[in-house]
Amino acid sequence: MRVLVIYENPEWTPPIERALTAAGVAPELMAIDGGPIDMSGTPEDAIYLNRMSASAHTRGHEGAAETTRDFLGWLERHDRRVINGLGAFKLELSKARQIEALESHGFAVPRTSVVEAGEGRFGALVEAASGFDGAFVVKPNRGGKGLGVEKFDSVNQLEIAIEAELIEPSPDGLMLVQRYIEPADPSITRCEFVGGEFLYAIRADTSGGFELCPADGCGEGESEDPQAKFSLREDVPREQIEACEAFCSSEGIEIAGIEFIEDAEGKRWTYDVNCNTNYSPSVEANHGLDGAAAVAGLVRRELEKLAPS
C-alpha cells in the first residue's frame, strides 16, 4: 500500500521524507499547487498523510487549501485512511473554529470577535475593537506562521495601521479581534502531539513578534538565528497535557501543535491549534527528540494495521 504525502510547501517535506524512509516507508509526494486533480471514480486505496498548510496562499497557492479540503472529503467518502483528515483540516483553516472548539472543551480562551473584513473593508475591525478594554490583537482567520498577527494598544493605533494599509487580510474575508493576554514573560508554549499523544513542548520567545514557525527555513533573513527563540519546556502542567489529548481525540486530530500563554496570575489561555505542525531542529538536536520520526512511526503502524493478514 502506498503512502501519499499531501503537501504544498516543498521546504517542509524533507524531514518527513527522511523519517518515513528511515522507518521503511517509501513516501510519494502529492503536490497540491494549482495543477489538476482527478476526483472522478474511486481514489487509490492508499494511506494519505495530510501536510497541507493554511499559509499556502502566501506562497502563491491561493486555491490549495480549498482544493485540499474538497479532496479530503472525497477520500473520506470512499473510506480512505487519511492522517489528519477533513475534521482536523477544517480546524487548521479557521482560527474562529479553533476558538469555538477549544472553549467547548473547557479551555480558557481569550475573548474573540469574528469580523467580516476583507481588503478595503477594515472599518468593521475598528467597530469590533472599540468594544475591547486594553490591548488587543488583530489576526487573519486563516493564517499560518504567525503572519498578519498584530498587537494594538488602542483603537487609534489600529486606525493608523488601516490608513497605512498595514493590515493583512485573510483569504476567507474574516478577521479576528482578540483580547491581548499579557504574559508572565515574553513567551508562549507549544505542545506537540503525535497520534493524539503528547510528544514534548517548546517555549517560543515572543519579544521579537508573533511569527513563531519553528521549522528550519522559517525566519530566513532575520538578523539573528531564528532557532534561538525556541527552547524545550519540561514543566507543562499535566492537566493541560491531558486536556489537549482529550481535545485531539474528540476532534479527530492526530498530529498537532497546540499553543497556550500564561498570564502573571498563572492562568493558562489556550488559543491556537496547528494541525500542520513543524518541529524545531535545534530543540530536537539538543534534547534527542524527533517529531518527524514520531509521525513516521504513526504512519508505519497504520500501514501494519491495513496490511493483508
Side-chain angles (χ1 to χ4, degrees):
M1 181 174 288
R2 295 203 298 167
V3 172
L4 302 178
V5 180
I6 300 166
Y7 80 103
E8 164 272 333
N9 185 0
E11 293 184 3
W12 291 346
T13 59
I16 296 294
E17 288 182 88
R18 289 193 296 267
L20 286 168
T21 300
V25 177
E28 298 182 44
L29 300 184
M30 182 177 183
I32 297 185
D33 55 7
I37 297 176
D38 186 358
M39 287 193 286
S40 60
T42 302
E44 179 181 352
D45 191 10
I47 289 180
Y48 298 82
L49 173 61
N50 179 23
R51 295 281 301 164
M52 176 53 60
S53 172
S55 62
H57 62 283
T58 67
R59 290 177 291 275
H61 301 145
E62 287 82 1
E66 286 80 7
T67 301
T68 300
R69 180 195 62 206
D70 294 342
F71 180 63
L72 296 179
W74 179 62
L75 293 177
E76 293 186 2
R77 282 194 298 276
H78 288 275
D79 297 321
R80 297 302 181 249
R81 179 66 173 98
V82 183
I83 297 175
N84 263 21
L86 185 58
F89 192 58
K90 285 181 177 179
L91 276 179
E92 173 78 0
L93 294 183
S94 173
K95 295 188 182 299
R97 187 187 292 263
Q98 292 172 23
I99 289 294
E100 183 278 327
L102 288 166
E103 191 168 41
S104 72
H105 284 270
F107 290 90
V109 301
R111 177 191 170 193
T112 304
S113 290
V114 182
V115 183
E116 290 188 32
E119 191 166 2
R121 297 187 287 114
F122 290 142
L125 288 174
V126 175
E127 181 181 355
S130 298
F132 283 72
D133 293 325
F136 56 89
V137 172
V138 171
K139 61 177 69 173
N141 185 51
R142 184 192 301 176
K145 305 193 301 182
L147 295 171
V149 181
E150 299 289 345
K151 171 181 172 285
F152 298 96
D153 293 317
S154 68
V155 173
N156 184 56
Q157 281 186 356
L158 173 60
E159 291 174 324
I160 293 171
I162 292 172
E163 183 66 24
E165 299 183 347
L166 298 178
I167 303 298
E168 291 284 341
S170 176
D172 62 4
L174 299 179
M175 301 289 288
L176 272 59
V177 179
Q178 193 169 75
R179 176 192 168 197
Y180 174 70
I181 304 298
E182 185 70 44
D185 60 64
S187 71
I188 60 97
T189 298
R190 176 168 168 151
C191 296
E192 301 291 354
F193 299 85
V194 175
E197 297 181 353
F198 178 66
L199 192 61
Y200 63 82
I202 62 171
R203 187 188 302 274
D205 184 350
T206 59
S207 58
F210 298 106
E211 293 188 26
L212 301 173
C213 168
D216 202 10
C218 285
E220 289 183 354
E222 294 183 9
S223 58
E224 299 180 1
D225 177 9
Q227 286 295 317
K229 68 180 71 169
F230 304 110
S231 59
L232 186 68
R233 178 171 178 182
E234 299 182 276
D235 64 344
V236 176
R238 188 64 209 172
E239 61 265 26
Q240 179 74 13
I241 292 171
E242 291 176 352
C244 288
E245 288 177 335
F247 175 80
C248 288
S249 176
S250 177
E251 296 294 330
I253 300 169
E254 295 171 272
I255 303 168
I258 300 178
E259 297 179 1
F260 69 90
I261 193 167
E262 290 167 299
D263 63 22
E265 286 71 44
K267 183 173 182 177
R268 295 184 300 275
W269 300 85
T270 307
Y271 64 91
D272 198 53
V273 182
N274 300 278
C275 296
N276 182 36
T277 190
N278 289 293
Y279 305 105
S280 164
S282 64
V283 170
E284 293 199 333
N286 290 336
H287 297 279
L289 301 166
D290 196 333
V295 173
L298 171 62
V299 174
R300 182 75 209 180
R301 292 191 298 273
E302 291 306 306
L303 276 173
E304 290 170 353
K305 287 180 186 177
L306 297 175
S309 56

